[in-house]
Amino acid sequence: MIHKEAQSSEPILHDSLQSEELLVNMGPQHPSTHGVLRLVVRTDGEMVRETVPYIGYLHRCFEKITESVTYAQGVPYTDRLDYLASMNNALAFCLGVEKLGGFAVPERAAWLRVIVAELNRIASHLISFGTYALDLGAFTPFLYGFREREAILSIFEKLSGGRLLYHYPRIGGVRADLTPEVAGDIRRFLVQMRKAWPEYNELLSENAIFVKRTANVGVISGARAIAYGLTGPCLRGSGVRFDLRKNKPYSAYERFDFSVPVGAGIKGAVGDCWDRYWVRMVEIMESCKIVEQALDGLPKGEIRGKTPRVLKLPKGQVYVPCENPRGELGFYIISDGKTEPLRCKARGPSFCNLSITSEVCRDVLIADVVAILGSIDIVLGEVDR
Amino acid sequence: MDKSDNNPPQTAEQMLRAAVQDPRDLTRYLTYLNTIKSEGLSTSVMVVPLDAAINWARASSIWPLTFGLACCAIEMMAVGASRFDLDRFGAGAFRPTPRQADLMIVAGTVTYKMMPRVKRLYEQMPEPKFVMAMGACTVGGGPYCKFGYHVVKGIDRFIPVDVYVPGCPPRPEALIDALLALQRKIATGRPIIERYAKPAGGGKDGGAQ
Amino acid sequence: MTMETIHALLRERFGEAIGEWPPPETGDPWIGVKAEAYHDVARFLRDDPALKFDYLRLVSAVDWMGSSGAESAERLSSVLHLYSFARDHEVTIAVDLPRDAARLASVADLWPAANWHEREAYDMMGIVYEGHPDLRRILLPEDWEGHPLRKDYVQPEEYHGIPNV
């Protein structure tokens, strides 16, 4: 109701009412900025006229540090970029180093990497599901999302020893092999996840209030999304069917049968907040499919290839993109023949996805800013690096 | 419970005196309560040293500030969520504003750009306030200590820290343990005595709480 | 289209402004472009119907100081990674810039995605992108001195009373 008024071209305020523009500072400590993002919002009554994001409050000097330490020592730092998807980050970095160094990865290790990367994708989307509902005022989905996520974390704990930051993919392979116990855990988790998924939809996806808050809000067209360099669910939510796992397969992804969901405007326009949210929800089920196939067909063999103890990569540069839960995470690694890289630039998906905020958060309601920001699903660790 | 006859025989007055002497020991005044109950003095009146009552209230309803900086904040969220449930210890009510919070869990890397804001948030919190430094970064720079040109090497240089929780990130159990440690620390405070009764000699062991 | 054909196409169109095609021994190839022609080349890459690079992946700055080998001149590079959703091919463009006067035309008018990437390259490496709509520091505080990703950067002892050690 309110929203319809906001979108129509008629002025909301009568001539007799005078309003003053107000600058509102949102963040860096704000419950719905997902970390230390700061937005300066110019408001006119309930309407937002301009949004300027300020980032850098979590700039942890990732690129300088990776230039200063060896390749193997750089892997744990990649874990801490997008701390909700450590497996995927470390995987991208390792793939980059392996490509430049020409190291072969055993088949089994590649499949194990797929399993953990997809499980981590599910975990990350579960957090996104929970916190998005939290942003919009529903607390229960948060508890549901974390319930399933804890099951994944205990699997990862058995595999790698860590709950949040794993350091599991290593250059040339993975850290530890999959034991029958963990495999059983993963299968049990898949059953649990598939049972819980319809619950989630009943709870949130079809919830009338949630749909009102998200459908037709923050619409990003496909062309706009591409121009701003959006990737991942934000790009696919706008109807562009592009997934690096499908379009540029890496690490044995070409072996698996899965589909790439795109936004179809089920509840509103194509590319609105609900579409982006829904792409993530469908991706959870697609990832379950991949994990199941990988468990069924897991090849036997070594889990670590032969890499020298002291890594000295040949001169050259390489850019390796990977599909992170948030989009394209790429590492641009330049080696000049030393034990540490000359330059290691991380192309973070959240960084690029966030850059569209000032474009989308214009002439929307204040409450919509929170809905849009939550649907873009940023992780500040990787925005600021 | 009522007729506890293994206690040393004391009159109610003696017990009250003993309890007031050391407000840290809640059991003493509980014994006292039982006694006056059994003596039929009163069932609706509780006589408690004010310090003990205040400490008990403070320690059992710590409201943390919703304040996540980096990776550790995710573990902090996990502690508040289904499996670990910080509410069991009375500390699950995360407040979005520092004005309503008692505890600041500095969860994550503090950078130069963020440091003034952390300090400001701390200053905005009402007394008594407590700070928990969660994670290696907050304790001392962590993995970013050596080459991090933009990372604060330890938040305790700028705001007083009550409990340190090392780890990268610390496990939820570690955070719960830290909370229990903080509760123990709060229980040893003597807020009323320190404020109103100047001890002879002026020696004080407590901090500024 | 492979990068070699793209290089041939660019060479034909822009002549000497496009560097030689030396496929490197290891890693990905790239196309060197002179700074003067950079913006025109970028526009051509975006608009040419056969190329149609609609997606800017990355703008990154590289400091080559202290690198081993013959080409270790005192220079910076600004590297542009492009991809085309329409044609499914990619290209890497590198521009060499002098260290003391690193100035380059901005491509933020061609791809809005370049806006933040160029701000970051300015912040970290000190490359000034001319014609950028809003060239400010993005990650570091506004009053920060120096550009930390340069190889000769020295960490300051303190910043507004925050000691570095």
Side-chain angles (χ1 to χ4, degrees):
Chain A
M1 184 74 182
I2 300 168
H3 194 75
K4 265 188 194 143
E5 278 179 9
Q7 282 200 330
S8 72
S9 56
E10 288 169 16
I12 308 166
L13 299 166
H14 298 286
D15 291 340
S16 57
L17 282 173
Q18 289 291 316
S19 74
E20 210 173 87
E21 287 192 340
L22 188 68
L23 274 181
V24 180
N25 187 45
M26 189 175 158
Q29 182 263 336
H30 188 278
S32 51
T33 51
H34 293 231
V36 283
L37 170 69
R38 174 171 162 232
L39 297 174
V40 174
V41 182
R42 192 159 59 82
T43 59
D44 179 3
E46 270 296 292
M47 299 299 290
V48 171
R49 296 291 175 221
E50 193 187 359
T51 308
V52 184
Y54 287 84
I55 61 172
Y57 291 96
L58 191 54
H59 177 55
R60 300 195 275 196
C61 333
F62 167 78
E63 284 160 20
K64 189 79 176 177
I65 291 173
T66 38
E67 282 173 18
S68 315
V69 300
T70 63
Y71 291 98
Q73 286 171 335
V75 181
Y77 285 100
T78 62
D79 275 355
R80 284 153 181 81
L81 281 180
D82 178 351
Y83 36 78
L84 294 182
S86 301
M87 294 285 191
N88 304 61
N89 300 344
L91 171 59
F93 185 76
C94 291
L95 284 175
V97 175
E98 284 152 10
K99 186 175 171 190
L100 194 53
F103 307 129
V105 180
E107 190 74 1
R108 186 176 173 84
W111 283 56
L112 284 175
R113 286 173 170 189
V114 169
I115 293 176
V116 292
E118 290 309 310
L119 284 175
N120 212 164
R121 187 184 312 278
I122 298 173
S124 166
H125 284 347
L126 285 175
I127 290 230
S128 154
F129 164 79
T131 52
Y132 193 30
L134 207 57
D135 290 348
L136 299 181
F139 190 72
T140 322
F142 174 74
L143 297 176
Y144 277 67
F146 268 73
R147 183 187 64 187
E148 263 68 61
R149 181 173 174 267
E150 285 293 338
I152 300 178
L153 296 197
S154 56
I155 291 168
F156 283 165
E157 204 178 333
K158 282 178 188 170
L159 268 179
S160 70
R163 261 177 57 88
L164 186 70
L165 309 168
Y166 312 108
H167 195 193
Y168 180 70
R170 300 281 168 93
I171 295 164
V174 293
R175 177 185 172 271
D177 204 351
L178 190 75
T179 58
E181 186 204 351
V182 178
D185 281 354
I186 296 175
R187 287 203 192 271
R188 268 192 295 284
F189 164 74
L190 292 177
V191 173
Q192 182 191 349
M193 189 66 236
R194 285 183 169 139
K195 201 161 142 249
W197 196 72
E199 265 178 30
Y200 289 3
N201 291 336
E202 262 174 54
L203 201 61
L204 194 65
S205 313
E206 300 292 332
N207 183 312
I209 303 170
F210 178 74
V211 173
K212 279 244 183 229
R213 287 289 306 272
T214 52
N216 286 319
V217 173
V219 180
I220 304 172
S221 71
R224 202 104 213 91
I226 292 175
Y228 271 89
L230 264 57
T231 44
C234 293
L235 177 68
R236 294 193 282 276
S238 300
V240 181
R241 202 177 292 276
F242 183 78
D243 190 323
L244 287 163
R245 292 174 294 167
K246 204 80 170 171
N247 296 56
K248 305 269 165 208
Y250 55 92
S251 188
Y253 268 111
E254 66 279 359
R255 308 283 184 82
F256 302 106
D257 173 38
F258 63 100
S259 56
V260 178
V262 292
I266 301 172
K267 300 286 178 192
V270 177
D272 60 4
C273 291
W274 196 88
D275 271 354
R276 287 192 284 280
Y277 159 81
W278 185 244
V279 164
R280 290 194 187 94
M281 293 307 284
V282 180
E283 273 185 18
I284 290 179
M285 292 320 271
E286 293 302 322
S287 295
C288 285
K289 259 162 73 179
I290 299 175
V291 173
E292 195 164 43
Q293 290 169 40
L295 275 182
D296 288 340
L298 189 64
K300 292 208 168 18
E302 291 286 308
I303 56 158
R304 285 192 82 166
K306 286 194 173 50
T307 49
R309 259 197 106 60
V310 180
L311 277 185
K312 264 192 186 176
L313 297 197
K315 267 190 198 174
Q317 50 178 301
V318 73
Y319 177 79
V320 174
C322 278
E323 188 75 24
N324 184 283
R326 275 156 205 83
E328 176 184 325
L329 174 75
F331 284 101
Y332 178 42
I333 303 171
I334 301 177
S335 162
D336 65 335
K338 298 203 186 98
T339 50
E340 57 276 328
L342 180 82
R343 178 90 167 91
C344 174
K345 161 97 186 162
R347 186 256 184 228
S350 298
F351 180 79
C352 304
N353 293 354
L354 186 64
S355 70
I356 204 170
T357 335
S358 48
E359 175 82 15
V360 185
C361 296
R362 187 181 292 157
D363 297 327
V364 294
L365 293 171
I366 294 177
D368 291 346
V369 173
V370 175
I372 292 167
L373 206 60
S375 77
I376 292 176
D377 186 28
I378 48 165
V379 169
L380 265 300
E382 175 224 88
V383 173
D384 297 342
R385 275 155 291 145
Chain B
M1 191 93 179
D2 278 346
K3 297 268 180 191
S4 49
D5 39 24
N6 52 349
N7 283 329
Q10 274 183 318
T11 66
E13 199 190 329
Q14 280 173 328
M15 286 179 186
L16 180 60
R17 282 184 188 286
V20 170
Q21 267 178 4
D22 189 1
R24 282 171 259 201
D25 195 353
L26 278 173
T27 52
R28 284 198 187 166
Y29 86 87
L30 284 175
T31 330
Y32 165 74
L33 282 182
N34 282 333
T35 317
I36 57 171
K37 233 191 225 172
S38 65
E39 288 174 1
L41 290 175
S42 168
T43 48
S44 57
V45 178
M46 281 175 83
V47 183
V48 178
L50 203 47
D51 275 345
I54 288 175
N55 286 344
W56 169 76
R58 278 182 183 169
S60 339
S61 70
I62 302 172
W63 286 7
L65 177 65
T66 312
F67 179 46
L69 287 169
C71 337
C72 288
I74 306 299
E75 285 296 72
M76 190 174 78
M77 277 159 68
V79 174
S82 334
R83 183 156 151 198
F84 296 96
D85 192 12
L86 207 57
D87 242 350
R88 293 177 293 162
F89 308 98
F94 282 88
R95 308 313 294 173
T97 160
R99 313 241 182 234
Q100 299 171 350
D102 310 308
L103 167 66
M104 184 155 98
I105 304 178
V106 189
T109 317
V110 186
T111 60
Y112 287 7
K113 205 172 175 179
M114 193 63 198
M115 215 291 294
R117 274 83 179 173
V118 177
K119 207 168 167 182
R120 170 77 65 86
L121 286 168
Y122 175 75
E123 283 159 1
Q124 284 177 337
M125 283 163 61
E127 294 277 354
K129 49 194 172 184
F130 306 98
V131 176
M132 208 183 265
M134 181 184 183
C137 295
T138 321
V139 173
Y144 302 96
C145 190
K146 192 170 176 192
F147 301 106
Y149 51 82
H150 192 239
V151 174
V152 174
K153 279 82 180 177
I155 192 63
D156 56 359
R157 297 168 182 215
F158 302 99
I159 55 176
V161 175
D162 295 277
V163 188
Y164 295 87
V165 198
C168 189
R171 295 183 58 85
E173 289 90 340
L175 190 61
I176 291 174
D177 185 46
L179 186 79
L180 297 179
L182 183 64
Q183 287 182 337
R184 284 198 296 277
K185 178 172 179 178
I186 293 173
T188 60
R190 306 173 79 168
I192 297 298
I193 289 179
E194 274 172 16
R195 178 171 292 190
Y196 296 109
K198 293 266 187 292
K204 281 206 292 182
D205 56 342
Q209 289 98 36
Chain C
M1 212 182 275
T2 63
M3 214 183 285
E4 196 165 359
T5 30
I6 294 170
H7 175 261
L9 209 67
L10 289 178
R11 192 75 195 229
E12 190 188 317
R13 173 85 200 253
F14 294 96
E16 286 303 303
I18 306 296
E20 293 291 322
W21 178 250
E25 291 154 31
T26 50
D28 296 339
W30 72 93
I31 298 170
V33 174
K34 288 231 170 73
E36 307 83 66
Y38 173 65
H39 195 270
D40 294 334
V41 170
R43 184 186 294 279
F44 177 72
L45 287 170
R46 189 191 68 160
D47 293 340
D48 188 78
L51 296 171
K52 262 196 164 171
F53 283 100
D54 46 8
Y55 166 48
L56 180 137
R57 250 188 183 141
L58 182 63
V59 179
S60 45
V62 185
D63 187 356
W64 294 92
M65 188 184 184
S67 76
S68 60
E71 81 281 10
S72 71
E74 303 278 293
R75 65 194 163 96
L76 298 174
S77 288
S78 177
V79 187
L80 187 63
H81 282 83
L82 299 172
Y83 177 77
S84 168
F85 283 109
R87 300 273 176 272
D88 188 27
H89 54 203
E90 53 193 23
V91 72
T92 308
I93 300 286
V95 186
D96 282 351
L97 301 165
R99 275 183 118 253
D100 45 351
R103 305 183 81 82
L104 188 64
S106 165
V107 291
D109 53 334
L110 303 175
W111 295 278
N115 189 324
W116 278 26
H117 286 300
E118 289 182 348
R119 274 179 72 186
E120 196 196 325
Y122 163 70
D123 192 354
M124 291 293 140
M125 211 68 97
I127 297 178
V128 178
Y129 288 93
E130 285 162 339
H132 188 284
D134 182 23
L135 197 67
R136 287 177 293 128
R137 285 190 183 272
I138 187 165
L139 295 177
L140 294 169
E142 289 279 324
D143 57 352
W144 192 269
E145 281 175 22
H147 303 282
L149 278 187
R150 288 204 180 198
K151 295 285 180 190
D152 55 355
Y153 177 75
V154 185
Q155 294 186 26
E157 289 289 308
E158 63 158 38
Y159 169 77
H160 289 297
I162 308 173
N164 193 31
V165 281

